[in-house]
Coordinates of all heavy atoms in Angstrom, one line a residue:
Y1 N 30.0 30.5 -41.7 CA 28.9 30.7 -42.5 C 29.2 31.8 -43.5 O 30.1 32.5 -43.4 CB 27.7 31.2 -41.6 CG 28.0 32.4 -40.8 CD1 27.9 33.7 -41.4 CD2 28.4 32.3 -39.5 CE1 28.2 34.8 -40.6 CE2 28.7 33.5 -38.7 CZ 28.6 34.7 -39.3 OH 28.9 35.8 -38.6
G2 N 28.5 31.7 -44.6 CA 28.6 32.7 -45.6 C 27.2 33.3 -45.8 O 26.2 32.6 -46.2
S3 N 27.0 34.6 -45.4 CA 25.7 35.1 -45.4 C 25.7 36.6 -45.8 O 26.5 37.4 -45.4 CB 25.1 35.1 -43.9 OG 23.8 35.5 -43.8
Q4 N 24.8 36.9 -46.7 CA 24.6 38.3 -47.2 C 23.6 39.0 -46.4 O 23.8 40.2 -46.1 CB 24.3 38.3 -48.7 CG 24.5 39.6 -49.3 CD 25.9 40.1 -49.5 OE1 26.8 39.3 -49.5 NE2 26.2 41.3 -49.5
T5 N 22.4 38.4 -46.2 CA 21.3 39.1 -45.5 C 21.1 38.6 -44.1 O 20.2 39.2 -43.4 CB 20.0 38.9 -46.3 OG1 19.7 37.5 -46.3 CG2 20.2 39.4 -47.7
G6 N 21.8 37.6 -43.6 CA 21.7 37.2 -42.2 C 21.0 35.8 -42.1 O 21.1 35.3 -41.0
N7 N 20.4 35.3 -43.1 CA 19.7 34.0 -42.9 C 20.7 32.9 -42.6 O 20.4 32.1 -41.7 CB 18.9 33.6 -44.2 CG 17.7 34.6 -44.3 OD1 17.2 35.1 -43.4 ND2 17.2 34.7 -45.6
A8 N 21.8 32.8 -43.3 CA 22.7 31.7 -43.1 C 23.4 31.9 -41.7 O 23.7 31.0 -41.0 CB 23.8 31.7 -44.2
Q9 N 23.6 33.2 -41.3 CA 24.2 33.5 -40.0 C 23.2 33.0 -38.9 O 23.7 32.4 -37.9 CB 24.5 35.0 -39.9 CG 25.1 35.3 -38.5 CD 25.5 36.8 -38.4 OE1 25.4 37.5 -39.4 NE2 25.9 37.2 -37.2
D10 N 22.0 33.3 -39.0 CA 21.0 32.9 -38.0 C 21.0 31.4 -37.9 O 20.9 30.8 -36.8 CB 19.6 33.4 -38.4 CG 19.4 34.9 -38.2 OD1 20.3 35.5 -37.6 OD2 18.5 35.4 -38.8
T11 N 21.0 30.7 -39.0 CA 21.0 29.2 -39.0 C 22.2 28.7 -38.4 O 22.2 27.8 -37.6 CB 20.8 28.7 -40.5 OG1 19.6 29.2 -41.0 CG2 20.8 27.2 -40.5
S12 N 23.4 29.3 -38.7 CA 24.6 28.9 -38.1 C 24.6 29.1 -36.6 O 25.1 28.2 -35.8 CB 25.8 29.7 -38.7 OG 25.9 29.4 -40.0
E13 N 24.1 30.2 -36.1 CA 24.0 30.5 -34.7 C 23.1 29.4 -34.0 O 23.5 29.0 -32.9 CB 23.5 31.9 -34.4 CG 24.5 32.9 -34.8 CD 24.0 34.3 -34.8 OE1 22.8 34.6 -34.5 OE2 24.8 35.3 -35.0
R14 N 22.0 29.0 -34.6 CA 21.2 28.0 -34.0 C 22.0 26.6 -33.9 O 21.9 26.0 -32.9 CB 19.9 27.8 -34.8 CG 18.9 28.8 -34.5 CD 17.6 28.5 -35.1 NE 17.4 29.5 -36.1 CZ 16.7 29.4 -37.3 NH1 16.2 28.2 -37.6 NH2 16.6 30.4 -38.1
I15 N 22.7 26.3 -34.9 CA 23.5 25.0 -34.9 C 24.6 25.1 -33.8 O 24.8 24.2 -33.1 CB 24.1 24.8 -36.3 CG1 23.0 24.4 -37.3 CG2 25.1 23.6 -36.2 CD1 23.4 24.4 -38.7
W16 N 25.2 26.3 -33.8 CA 26.3 26.5 -32.8 C 25.8 26.4 -31.4 O 26.4 25.7 -30.5 CB 26.9 27.9 -33.0 CG 27.9 28.3 -32.0 CD1 29.2 27.8 -31.9 CD2 27.8 29.3 -31.0 NE1 29.8 28.4 -30.8 CE2 29.0 29.3 -30.3 CE3 26.7 30.1 -30.6 CZ2 29.1 30.2 -29.2 CZ3 26.9 30.9 -29.6 CH2 28.1 31.0 -28.9
R17 N 24.6 27.0 -31.1 CA 24.0 26.9 -29.7 C 23.7 25.5 -29.4 O 23.9 25.1 -28.2 CB 22.8 27.8 -29.6 CG 23.1 29.3 -29.4 CD 21.9 30.1 -29.0 NE 20.8 30.1 -30.0 CZ 20.7 30.9 -31.0 NH1 21.7 31.9 -31.2 NH2 19.7 30.9 -31.9
K18 N 23.2 24.7 -30.3 CA 22.9 23.3 -30.1 C 24.1 22.5 -29.8 O 24.2 21.7 -28.9 CB 22.1 22.8 -31.3 CG 21.6 21.3 -31.0 CD 20.7 21.2 -29.9 CE 19.3 21.5 -30.2 NZ 18.3 21.2 -29.1
A19 N 25.2 22.8 -30.6 CA 26.5 22.1 -30.4 C 27.0 22.4 -29.0 O 27.5 21.5 -28.3 CB 27.5 22.5 -31.5
I20 N 27.0 23.6 -28.6 CA 27.4 24.0 -27.2 C 26.6 23.3 -26.2 O 27.1 22.8 -25.2 CB 27.4 25.6 -27.0 CG1 28.3 26.3 -28.0 CG2 27.6 26.0 -25.6 CD1 29.8 26.0 -27.7
S21 N 25.3 23.2 -26.4 CA 24.5 22.5 -25.4 C 24.8 21.0 -25.2 O 24.6 20.4 -24.2 CB 23.0 22.7 -25.7 OG 22.6 21.9 -26.8
F22 N 25.4 20.4 -26.3 CA 25.8 19.0 -26.2 C 27.3 18.9 -25.8 O 27.9 17.9 -26.0 CB 25.6 18.4 -27.6 CG 24.2 18.0 -27.9 CD1 23.5 18.6 -29.0 CD2 23.5 17.1 -27.1 CE1 22.2 18.3 -29.2 CE2 22.2 16.8 -27.3 CZ 21.5 17.4 -28.4
K23 N 27.9 20.0 -25.3 CA 29.2 20.1 -24.8 C 30.3 19.9 -25.9 O 31.4 19.5 -25.6 CB 29.4 19.1 -23.7 CG 28.4 19.1 -22.6 CD 28.6 20.3 -21.8 CE 27.7 20.3 -20.5 NZ 26.9 21.4 -20.3
F24 N 30.0 20.2 -27.2 CA 31.0 20.3 -28.2 C 31.9 21.5 -28.1 O 31.4 22.6 -27.6 CB 30.4 20.3 -29.6 CG 29.9 18.9 -30.0 CD1 28.5 18.6 -29.9 CD2 30.7 17.9 -30.5 CE1 28.0 17.4 -30.3 CE2 30.2 16.7 -30.9 CZ 28.9 16.5 -30.8
N25 N 33.1 21.4 -28.4 CA 34.0 22.6 -28.5 C 33.8 23.3 -29.8 O 34.4 23.0 -30.8 CB 35.5 22.2 -28.3 CG 36.4 23.3 -28.3 OD1 36.0 24.5 -28.2 ND2 37.7 23.1 -28.5
A26 N 32.8 24.1 -29.9 CA 32.3 24.7 -31.2 C 32.7 26.1 -31.3 O 32.8 26.9 -30.4 CB 30.8 24.6 -31.2
V27 N 33.0 26.5 -32.6 CA 33.4 27.8 -32.9 C 32.4 28.3 -34.0 O 32.1 27.6 -34.9 CB 34.8 27.8 -33.5 CG1 35.2 29.2 -34.1 CG2 35.8 27.3 -32.5
L28 N 31.9 29.5 -33.8 CA 31.0 30.2 -34.7 C 31.8 31.3 -35.4 O 32.4 32.1 -34.8 CB 29.8 30.8 -34.0 CG 28.9 31.6 -34.9 CD1 28.2 30.7 -35.9 CD2 27.8 32.3 -34.0
S29 N 31.8 31.3 -36.8 CA 32.6 32.3 -37.5 C 32.1 32.4 -38.9 O 31.6 31.4 -39.5 CB 34.1 31.8 -37.5 OG 34.8 32.7 -38.3
S30 N 32.2 33.6 -39.5 CA 32.0 33.7 -40.9 C 33.2 33.0 -41.6 O 34.2 32.8 -41.0 CB 31.9 35.2 -41.3 OG 33.2 35.8 -41.2
F31 N 33.0 32.6 -42.8 CA 34.1 31.9 -43.5 C 35.3 32.8 -43.6 O 36.4 32.3 -43.5 CB 33.6 31.5 -45.0 CG 32.9 30.2 -45.0 CD1 31.5 30.2 -45.2 CD2 33.5 29.0 -44.8 CE1 30.8 29.0 -45.3 CE2 32.8 27.8 -44.9 CZ 31.5 27.8 -45.1
D32 N 35.2 34.0 -43.9 CA 36.4 34.9 -44.0 C 37.1 35.1 -42.8 O 38.3 35.4 -42.8 CB 36.0 36.3 -44.6 CG 35.8 36.2 -46.1 OD1 36.1 35.1 -46.7 OD2 35.4 37.2 -46.7
K33 N 36.5 35.0 -41.6 CA 37.2 35.2 -40.3 C 37.7 33.9 -39.7 O 38.4 34.0 -38.7 CB 36.3 36.0 -39.4 CG 36.1 37.4 -39.9 CD 35.4 38.3 -38.9 CE 35.3 39.6 -39.6 NZ 34.6 40.6 -38.9
F34 N 37.3 32.8 -40.3 CA 37.7 31.5 -39.7 C 39.2 31.2 -40.0 O 39.7 31.5 -41.1 CB 36.8 30.4 -40.3 CG 37.1 29.1 -39.8 CD1 36.7 28.8 -38.5 CD2 37.8 28.1 -40.5 CE1 37.0 27.5 -37.9 CE2 38.0 26.8 -40.0 CZ 37.6 26.6 -38.7
D35 N 39.9 30.7 -39.0 CA 41.3 30.4 -39.2 C 41.4 29.0 -39.9 O 41.1 28.0 -39.3 CB 42.0 30.3 -37.8 CG 43.5 29.9 -37.9 OD1 44.0 29.8 -39.0 OD2 44.1 29.7 -36.8
L36 N 41.8 29.0 -41.2 CA 41.8 27.8 -42.0 C 42.8 26.8 -41.4 O 42.6 25.6 -41.7 CB 42.1 28.2 -43.4 CG 41.1 29.0 -44.1 CD1 41.6 29.4 -45.5 CD2 39.8 28.3 -44.2
N37 N 43.8 27.2 -40.7 CA 44.7 26.2 -40.1 C 44.0 25.3 -39.1 O 44.4 24.1 -38.9 CB 45.8 26.9 -39.4 CG 46.8 27.6 -40.3 OD1 47.1 27.1 -41.4 ND2 47.1 28.8 -40.0
Q38 N 42.9 25.7 -38.6 CA 42.1 24.8 -37.7 C 41.5 23.6 -38.4 O 41.3 22.6 -37.9 CB 41.0 25.6 -37.0 CG 41.4 26.6 -36.0 CD 40.2 27.3 -35.4 OE1 39.1 26.9 -35.5 NE2 40.6 28.4 -34.7
L39 N 41.3 23.7 -39.8 CA 40.8 22.6 -40.5 C 41.8 21.5 -40.6 O 41.4 20.4 -41.0 CB 40.4 23.1 -41.9 CG 39.3 24.1 -42.0 CD1 39.1 24.5 -43.5 CD2 38.0 23.6 -41.4
L40 N 43.1 21.7 -40.4 CA 44.1 20.7 -40.4 C 44.2 19.9 -39.1 O 44.9 18.9 -39.1 CB 45.4 21.3 -40.8 CG 45.4 22.1 -42.2 CD1 46.7 22.8 -42.4 CD2 45.0 21.2 -43.3
D41 N 43.6 20.4 -38.1 CA 43.7 19.7 -36.8 C 42.9 18.4 -36.8 O 42.0 18.2 -37.6 CB 43.1 20.6 -35.7 CG 43.9 21.8 -35.4 OD1 45.1 21.9 -35.8 OD2 43.4 22.8 -34.8
D42 N 43.3 17.5 -35.9 CA 42.6 16.2 -35.8 C 41.2 16.5 -35.2 O 41.0 17.4 -34.4 CB 43.3 15.2 -35.0 CG 44.6 14.8 -35.6 OD1 44.6 14.8 -36.9 OD2 45.6 14.4 -34.9
N43 N 40.3 15.6 -35.5 CA 38.9 15.6 -34.9 C 38.2 16.9 -35.1 O 37.5 17.4 -34.3 CB 39.0 15.3 -33.4 CG 39.6 13.9 -33.1 OD1 39.2 13.0 -33.8 ND2 40.5 13.9 -32.2
V44 N 38.3 17.4 -36.3 CA 37.5 18.6 -36.7 C 36.4 18.2 -37.6 O 36.5 17.5 -38.5 CB 38.5 19.6 -37.4 CG1 37.6 20.8 -38.0 CG2 39.5 20.2 -36.5
L45 N 35.2 18.8 -37.3 CA 34.1 18.6 -38.1 C 33.6 20.0 -38.5 O 33.3 20.8 -37.7 CB 32.9 17.9 -37.4 CG 31.6 17.9 -38.1 CD1 31.6 17.2 -39.4 CD2 30.5 17.3 -37.2
L46 N 33.6 20.3 -39.8 CA 33.2 21.6 -40.3 C 31.7 21.5 -40.7 O 31.4 20.6 -41.5 CB 34.0 22.0 -41.5 CG 33.6 23.3 -42.2 CD1 33.7 24.5 -41.4 CD2 34.3 23.4 -43.5
I47 N 30.9 22.3 -40.2 CA 29.5 22.5 -40.7 C 29.4 23.9 -41.3 O 29.4 24.9 -40.6 CB 28.5 22.3 -39.5 CG1 28.7 20.9 -38.9 CG2 27.1 22.5 -40.1 CD1 27.8 20.7 -37.7
G48 N 29.4 23.9 -42.6 CA 29.3 25.2 -43.3 C 27.9 25.5 -43.7 O 27.2 24.6 -44.2
V49 N 27.4 26.7 -43.5 CA 26.1 27.2 -43.9 C 26.3 28.3 -44.8 O 27.0 29.3 -44.4 CB 25.2 27.5 -42.7 CG1 23.9 28.0 -43.2 CG2 25.1 26.4 -41.7
C50 N 25.8 28.3 -46.0 CA 26.0 29.3 -46.9 C 24.8 29.6 -47.8 O 24.1 28.7 -48.2 CB 27.2 29.0 -47.9 SG 27.6 30.3 -49.0
S51 N 24.5 30.9 -48.0 CA 23.5 31.3 -48.9 C 24.1 32.0 -50.1 O 25.2 32.4 -50.0 CB 22.5 32.2 -48.2 OG 23.2 33.3 -47.7
T52 N 23.4 32.1 -51.1 CA 23.9 32.8 -52.3 C 23.2 34.2 -52.3 O 22.3 34.4 -51.6 CB 23.6 32.1 -53.6 OG1 22.2 31.9 -53.7 CG2 24.3 30.8 -53.7
T53 N 23.8 35.1 -53.1 CA 23.2 36.4 -53.2 C 23.2 36.8 -54.7 O 23.9 36.2 -55.5 CB 24.0 37.4 -52.5 OG1 23.4 38.7 -52.5 CG2 25.5 37.5 -53.0
G54 N 22.3 37.6 -55.1 CA 22.2 38.1 -56.5 C 21.8 36.9 -57.4 O 20.9 36.2 -57.2
Q55 N 22.7 36.7 -58.4 CA 22.5 35.6 -59.4 C 23.4 34.4 -59.0 O 24.1 33.9 -59.8 CB 22.8 36.1 -60.8 CG 21.9 37.2 -61.2 CD 20.4 36.7 -61.4 OE1 20.2 35.7 -61.9 NE2 19.5 37.5 -60.8
G56 N 23.3 34.0 -57.8 CA 24.2 32.8 -57.3 C 25.6 33.2 -56.9 O 26.5 32.4 -56.9
D57 N 25.8 34.5 -56.6 CA 27.1 35.0 -56.2 C 27.4 34.6 -54.8 O 26.6 34.3 -53.9 CB 27.2 36.5 -56.3 CG 26.9 37.0 -57.7 OD1 27.5 36.4 -58.7 OD2 26.2 38.0 -57.9
V58 N 28.7 34.5 -54.5 CA 29.2 34.2 -53.2 C 29.0 35.4 -52.3 O 29.2 36.6 -52.6 CB 30.8 34.0 -53.3 CG1 31.4 33.8 -51.9 CG2 31.0 32.8 -54.2
P59 N 28.5 35.2 -51.0 CA 28.3 36.3 -50.1 C 29.6 37.0 -49.8 O 30.7 36.4 -49.8 CB 27.8 35.6 -48.8 CG 27.3 34.3 -49.3 CD 28.1 33.9 -50.4
D60 N 29.5 38.3 -49.5 CA 30.7 39.1 -49.2 C 31.6 38.5 -48.1 O 32.8 38.6 -48.2 CB 30.3 40.6 -48.8 CG 29.7 41.3 -49.9 OD1 29.8 40.9 -51.1 OD2 29.0 42.4 -49.7
N61 N 31.0 38.0 -47.1 CA 31.8 37.5 -45.9 C 32.3 36.1 -46.2 O 32.8 35.4 -45.3 CB 31.0 37.5 -44.6 CG 29.9 36.6 -44.5 OD1 29.4 36.0 -45.5 ND2 29.3 36.5 -43.3
M62 N 32.3 35.6 -47.5 CA 32.9 34.4 -47.9 C 33.8 34.5 -49.0 O 34.5 33.5 -49.5 CB 31.8 33.4 -48.2 CG 32.3 32.0 -48.4 SD 30.9 30.9 -48.8 CE 31.8 29.4 -49.3
L63 N 33.9 35.7 -49.6 CA 34.7 35.9 -50.8 C 36.2 35.5 -50.6 O 36.7 34.9 -51.5 CB 34.5 37.4 -51.3 CG 34.9 37.7 -52.7 CD1 34.2 36.8 -53.7 CD2 34.6 39.1 -53.0
K64 N 36.8 36.0 -49.6 CA 38.2 35.7 -49.3 C 38.4 34.2 -49.2 O 39.4 33.6 -49.8 CB 38.6 36.4 -48.0 CG 40.1 36.2 -47.7 CD 40.4 37.1 -46.5 CE 40.9 36.2 -45.3 NZ 41.2 37.0 -44.1
F65 N 37.6 33.5 -48.5 CA 37.6 32.0 -48.3 C 37.5 31.3 -49.7 O 38.2 30.4 -50.0 CB 36.6 31.5 -47.4 CG 36.5 30.0 -47.2 CD1 37.3 29.4 -46.4 CD2 35.5 29.3 -47.9 CE1 37.2 28.0 -46.2 CE2 35.4 28.0 -47.8 CZ 36.3 27.3 -46.9
W66 N 36.5 31.8 -50.5 CA 36.2 31.2 -51.8 C 37.4 31.3 -52.7 O 37.8 30.4 -53.4 CB 35.0 31.9 -52.4 CG 34.6 31.3 -53.7 CD1 34.8 31.8 -54.9 CD2 34.0 30.0 -53.9 NE1 34.3 31.0 -55.9 CE2 33.8 29.9 -55.3 CE3 33.5 29.0 -53.1 CZ2 33.2 28.8 -55.9 CZ3 32.9 27.9 -53.7 CH2 32.8 27.8 -55.1
R67 N 38.0 32.5 -52.7 CA 39.2 32.7 -53.5 C 40.4 31.8 -53.1 O 41.1 31.3 -53.9 CB 39.7 34.2 -53.5 CG 38.7 35.1 -54.3 CD 39.2 36.5 -54.2 NE 38.3 37.4 -54.9 CZ 38.0 38.6 -54.6 NH1 38.5 39.1 -53.5 NH2 37.1 39.3 -55.3
M68 N 40.5 31.6 -51.8 CA 41.6 30.8 -51.3 C 41.4 29.3 -51.7 O 42.4 28.7 -52.2 CB 41.7 30.9 -49.7 CG 42.9 30.3 -49.1 SD 43.0 28.5 -48.9 CE 41.6 28.1 -48.0
I69 N 40.2 28.8 -51.6 CA 40.1 27.4 -51.9 C 40.0 27.1 -53.4 O 40.2 26.0 -53.8 CB 38.8 26.7 -51.2 CG1 37.5 27.4 -51.7 CG2 39.0 26.8 -49.7 CD1 36.3 26.7 -51.2
M70 N 39.8 28.1 -54.2 CA 39.8 28.0 -55.6 C 41.2 28.2 -56.3 O 41.3 28.1 -57.5 CB 38.8 28.9 -56.3 CG 37.3 28.6 -55.8 SD 36.8 26.9 -56.1 CE 36.7 26.9 -57.9
Q71 N 42.2 28.5 -55.5 CA 43.6 28.7 -56.1 C 44.1 27.4 -56.8 O 44.0 26.3 -56.2 CB 44.5 29.1 -55.0 CG 44.3 30.4 -54.3 CD 45.3 30.7 -53.2 OE1 46.4 30.2 -53.3 NE2 44.9 31.5 -52.3
K72 N 44.6 27.6 -58.0 CA 45.1 26.5 -58.7 C 46.3 25.8 -58.1 O 46.6 24.6 -58.2 CB 45.5 26.9 -60.2 CG 44.2 27.2 -60.9 CD 44.6 27.7 -62.4 CE 43.3 28.0 -63.1 NZ 43.5 28.5 -64.4
Q73 N 47.1 26.6 -57.4 CA 48.3 26.1 -56.7 C 48.1 25.4 -55.4 O 49.0 24.8 -54.8 CB 49.4 27.1 -56.6 CG 49.1 28.2 -55.5 CD 48.5 29.4 -56.1 OE1 47.8 29.4 -57.2 NE2 48.6 30.6 -55.5
L74 N 46.8 25.4 -54.9 CA 46.5 24.7 -53.7 C 46.5 23.2 -53.9 O 46.0 22.7 -54.9 CB 45.1 25.1 -53.3 CG 44.6 24.7 -51.9 CD1 45.5 25.3 -50.8 CD2 43.2 25.1 -51.7
D75 N 47.2 22.5 -53.0 CA 47.3 21.1 -53.1 C 45.9 20.4 -53.1 O 45.1 20.7 -52.3 CB 48.1 20.5 -51.9 CG 48.4 19.1 -52.0 OD1 47.9 18.4 -52.9 OD2 49.2 18.6 -51.2
S76 N 45.7 19.6 -54.1 CA 44.3 19.0 -54.2 C 44.0 18.1 -53.1 O 42.8 17.8 -52.9 CB 44.3 18.2 -55.5 OG 45.2 17.1 -55.5
S77 N 44.9 17.7 -52.2 CA 44.6 16.9 -51.1 C 44.5 17.7 -49.8 O 44.4 17.1 -48.7 CB 45.7 15.8 -50.9 OG 47.0 16.4 -50.6
F78 N 44.5 19.0 -49.9 CA 44.5 19.9 -48.8 C 43.5 19.5 -47.7 O 43.7 19.5 -46.5 CB 44.3 21.3 -49.3 CG 44.1 22.4 -48.2 CD1 45.1 22.6 -47.3 CD2 42.9 23.1 -48.1 CE1 45.0 23.6 -46.3 CE2 42.8 24.1 -47.1 CZ 43.8 24.3 -46.2
L79 N 42.3 19.2 -48.1 CA 41.2 18.9 -47.2 C 40.7 17.5 -47.2 O 39.6 17.2 -46.8 CB 40.0 19.9 -47.4 CG 40.3 21.3 -47.3 CD1 39.1 22.2 -47.7 CD2 40.7 21.7 -45.9
N80 N 41.5 16.6 -47.7 CA 41.1 15.2 -47.8 C 40.7 14.5 -46.5 O 39.8 13.7 -46.5 CB 42.3 14.3 -48.4 CG 42.3 14.4 -49.9 OD1 41.5 15.1 -50.5 ND2 43.3 13.7 -50.5
S81 N 41.3 14.9 -45.4 CA 41.0 14.2 -44.1 C 39.9 15.0 -43.3 O 39.5 14.6 -42.2 CB 42.2 14.1 -43.2 OG 42.7 15.4 -42.9
L82 N 39.4 16.1 -43.9 CA 38.4 16.9 -43.2 C 37.0 16.2 -43.3 O 36.5 15.9 -44.4 CB 38.3 18.3 -43.8 CG 37.3 19.2 -43.2 CD1 37.6 19.5 -41.8 CD2 37.2 20.5 -44.0
E83 N 36.3 16.1 -42.2 CA 34.9 15.7 -42.2 C 34.1 17.0 -42.2 O 34.3 17.9 -41.4 CB 34.6 14.9 -40.9 CG 35.3 13.5 -40.9 CD 34.8 12.7 -39.8 OE1 33.5 12.6 -39.6 OE2 35.6 12.1 -39.1
F84 N 33.1 17.0 -43.1 CA 32.4 18.3 -43.2 C 30.9 18.0 -43.7 O 30.6 16.9 -44.2 CB 33.0 19.2 -44.2 CG 33.1 18.7 -45.6 CD1 32.1 19.1 -46.5 CD2 34.1 17.9 -46.1 CE1 32.1 18.6 -47.8 CE2 34.1 17.4 -47.4 CZ 33.1 17.8 -48.3
S85 N 30.1 19.0 -43.5 CA 28.8 19.0 -44.0 C 28.5 20.4 -44.4 O 28.9 21.4 -43.8 CB 27.8 18.6 -42.9 OG 26.5 18.7 -43.4
I86 N 27.8 20.6 -45.6 CA 27.5 21.9 -46.1 C 26.0 22.0 -46.2 O 25.3 21.2 -46.7 CB 28.1 22.2 -47.4 CG1 29.7 22.0 -47.4 CG2 27.8 23.5 -48.0 CD1 30.4 23.0 -46.5
I87 N 25.5 23.1 -45.7 CA 24.0 23.4 -45.8 C 23.9 24.6 -46.7 O 24.5 25.7 -46.4 CB 23.4 23.7 -44.4 CG1 23.6 22.5 -43.5 CG2 22.0 24.1 -44.6 CD1 23.3 22.8 -42.1
G88 N 23.3 24.5 -47.8 CA 23.1 25.6 -48.7 C 21.7 26.2 -48.7 O 20.7 25.4 -48.7
L89 N 21.6 27.5 -48.5 CA 20.3 28.2 -48.5 C 20.1 29.0 -49.7 O 21.1 29.6 -50.2 CB 20.3 29.1 -47.2 CG 20.5 28.5 -45.9 CD1 20.5 29.5 -44.8 CD2 19.5 27.4 -45.6
G90 N 19.0 29.0 -50.3 CA 18.7 29.8 -51.5 C 17.3 30.4 -51.4 O 16.7 30.4 -50.4
D91 N 16.9 31.0 -52.5 CA 15.6 31.7 -52.5 C 14.5 30.7 -52.3 O 14.0 30.0 -53.0 CB 15.5 32.4 -53.9 CG 16.4 33.6 -54.0 OD1 17.0 34.0 -52.9 OD2 16.6 34.1 -55.1

C-alpha cells in the first residue's frame, strides 16, 4: 500500500485479513518495504492500494518504489507476467 494518512493502509489490512481467511499466502506491506524480487516469482498476484496526498503526490511510503519503477533503464518487460490489481483512493 501507499498511504499518507492511513486510509489506504486500513483498506489494505482489510483485504489482507480476508485473503488470510481464504487461506492465501498473503503479505501485507507498504510499497517501499516490499521485496520487489517477489514480483518475479510464479503465481504472484499483486493487489496495490494507493492514495494520493497534496496535489496528487505520491505518499511518502511509496516514493522509493515509485522512483524504482520509473527508471528509464528498467527493462520495459520487467512486470509483463505479473497479475495485478490497483485500487486508487482519493479525496
Side-chain angles (χ1 to χ4, degrees):
Y1 57 85
S3 187
Q4 192 70 28
T5 63
N7 291 333
Q9 181 177 351
D10 291 344
T11 301
S12 297
E13 288 172 356
R14 280 188 245 148
I15 293 168
W16 174 74
R17 282 192 298 273
K18 185 58 86 171
I20 294 296
S21 76
F22 285 118
K23 308 291 189 229
F24 284 99
N25 182 15
V27 174
L28 175 67
S29 175
S30 70
F31 276 107
D32 279 355
K33 293 191 176 170
F34 184 71
D35 179 5
L36 296 175
N37 291 318
Q38 291 181 14
L39 297 179
L40 303 175
D41 294 342
D42 291 333
N43 299 316
V44 171
L45 169 63
L46 172 68
I47 301 174
V49 181
C50 185
S51 58
T52 58
T53 185
Q55 299 296 314
D57 299 319
V58 176
D60 291 343
N61 67 351
M62 187 178 172
L63 197 53
K64 183 173 117 183
F65 175 82
W66 183 254
R67 287 181 181 144
M68 192 282 304
I69 63 171
M70 297 306 289
Q71 291 179 28
K72 291 180 182 177
Q73 68 267 25
L74 188 64
D75 185 352
S76 62
S77 64
F78 174 61
L79 299 176
N80 278 0
S81 63
L82 178 66
E83 292 189 47
F84 66 93
S85 178
I86 302 295
I87 301 169
L89 305 177
D91 291 345

